[in-house]
Amino acid sequence: MPLHVLIAGGGLSGLCLAHGLRKDGHTCEVFERDSDLSRKAGYLLHVNADGGEALRRCLPDDLFELYAETSRKTPKRRESIVLDNHLNVLSSQPHFGPPNEGPRPHTAVHRRTLRQILMARLGESFHPGRPAVGYEETERGVRLRLADGSIAEGDLLVGADGIRSAIRTQRLPDVEVVDAGIEGIGVFGRSPLSPVLARALPPILLEGFIIAADRSGSRMLLGAFQPRRVVAHAPAAIAPDVTLDPIDDYLMVSCSLERGTAIPKSSDWTGSTAEEIRASMLRAIDGWHPALRGIIER
């Protein structure tokens, strides 16, 4: 018997679930708190075999093909590589998860690209700007309360609304949320990876997911995003009804800051904040290999 499923949260998991339900003959509605779907948030997201095969199971064949072709080219070493601050290899290990082999293994995808693929074809069943605030169980199913005062009714409710889930809070009110605290801070960003720069970088920096560290505790994380096919052009050959934002090749970068650096709230940033953060990064990696420092300097 087909079900009508309400999904609170339109992130990657909620959207993937929506496609899986539709593929199996059910109907659904997705309620997402974010009303601005044009924001350029996000960066490289590693996908192991569990995640990739879940996408294969849930997505229509052409949307899965679009995901695979806009994923990162298969790197030379499909593992995490640990370097010291002078590019000497200290260790490496495969990514967690089941075997991930074949001519086109799951690698990594640009997060915004994946979300755009997952939003494709959901039509009026996807409701941005309408966050869930609570629910009521009824004899026939469930009634979902939304922030705008409206109600949605369905047979089943799935809470996929993130770490501050209103659904979980109501369902499990006594569960303690543990604040893990912060012992250090870093900033994630993207650095353009032009063909000229890619040729100039030491090859090891493009061979896998890179973790560089020194003896003082400063660290840098690097992940190259070079898709198998030009992202904006891929739909024309695979799924013409889908539009993807153009994404140039880049390095995902996270770098430690100098100890004691204060990061203001986003609402308090000024025109000089980004440059001050970058200067703090460079002080944290003073004396590192020029290629690593150059990535931050650029």
Side-chain angles (χ1 to χ4, degrees), residues 275-291:
E275 180 55 38
E276 291 166 359
I277 290 173
R278 187 173 72 130
S280 178
M281 291 178 178
L282 288 170
R283 291 193 296 271
I285 59 173
D286 185 41
W288 282 38
H289 190 284

Side-chain angles (χ1 to χ4, degrees), residues 126-258:
F126 179 62
H127 305 284
R130 297 182 67 189
V133 296
Y135 68 91
E136 300 171 11
E137 295 182 67
T138 68
E139 292 183 359
R140 295 186 177 182
V142 63
R143 302 175 76 234
L144 181 64
R145 301 194 307 275
L146 303 167
D148 60 8
S150 62
I151 297 291
E153 297 192 51
D155 299 301
L156 182 71
L157 169 63
V158 177
D161 47 342
I163 60 174
R164 297 177 180 85
S165 169
I167 305 305
R168 184 187 63 238
T169 298
Q170 179 176 338
R171 185 70 176 177
L172 303 170
D174 297 327
V175 171
E176 180 184 5
V177 177
V178 178
D179 184 354
I182 298 175
E183 295 182 358
I185 191 165
V187 177
F188 277 94
R190 302 202 304 262
S191 180
L193 182 59
S194 67
V196 173
L197 177 57
R199 289 192 295 268
L201 285 174
I204 188 68
L205 297 183
L206 303 178
E207 291 183 1
F209 184 78
I210 304 300
I211 305 169
D214 64 17
R215 293 180 180 274
S216 70
S218 291
R219 293 185 298 171
M220 183 187 294
L221 310 180
L222 297 174
F225 182 68
Q226 298 169 292
R228 292 175 172 132
R229 193 182 294 216
V230 176
V231 170
H233 298 167
I238 301 171
D241 61 320
V242 178
T243 300
L244 300 178
D245 289 343
I247 299 293
D248 294 326
D249 293 5
Y250 63 83
L251 281 171
M252 183 196 73
V253 183
S254 177
C255 184
S256 295
L257 304 181
E258 182 183 39

Side-chain angles (χ1 to χ4, degrees), residues 284-298:
I285 59 173
D286 185 41
W288 282 38
H289 190 284
L292 296 172
R293 288 184 55 83
I295 291 167
I296 303 299
E297 289 170 347
R298 293 185 189 91

